Amino acid sequence: MQNYRFPKACRLRKSKQIESLFKLGSRFYEYPYNVVWLENNSSNYNIKIAISIPKKLVVKASQRNRIKRLTREAVRKKSYILKEVLIKKNKYINLFLIYNLKTILNYSEIENKISVTLQRLADEV
């Protein structure tokens, strides 16, 4: 059985790592997410993730928090797609997801988009 946990250690929280991610990282757009990723030297987890929803697009904090929760849950469930590839190649990555819609998608749509995004990222790594 897969380990579907999403602990705090899996989250990208250090500002220096985020700055280097935006300076040196690779980018692509997979509707509705802008994805910025960068190979990391080493970590406890293969993937470290940060999620952002711009305040200009989604004004209400409760809606931004809902989108973050839905995205985090979808990543938690679908991360095995990327983890298998990273374990085989012995790589670690930092990943930043930026939501780019004014409306909130339902969970099934977000889950489908996250799986497509992670599969594309697995192909690029």
Side-chain angles (χ1 to χ4, degrees), residues 82-98:
L82 184 56
K83 280 183 183 177
E84 291 173 354
V85 173
L86 292 174
I87 289 171
K88 285 180 185 174
K89 294 183 177 182
N90 195 21
K91 291 186 177 182
Y92 303 90
I93 65 167
N94 291 339
L95 177 65
F96 203 96
L97 298 171
I98 304 167

Side-chain angles (χ1 to χ4, degrees), residues 33-46:
Y33 293 100
N34 272 335
V35 179
V36 183
W37 66 278
L38 178 66
E39 280 191 40
N40 191 4
N41 296 339
S42 64
S43 176
N44 296 338
Y45 290 90
N46 291 68

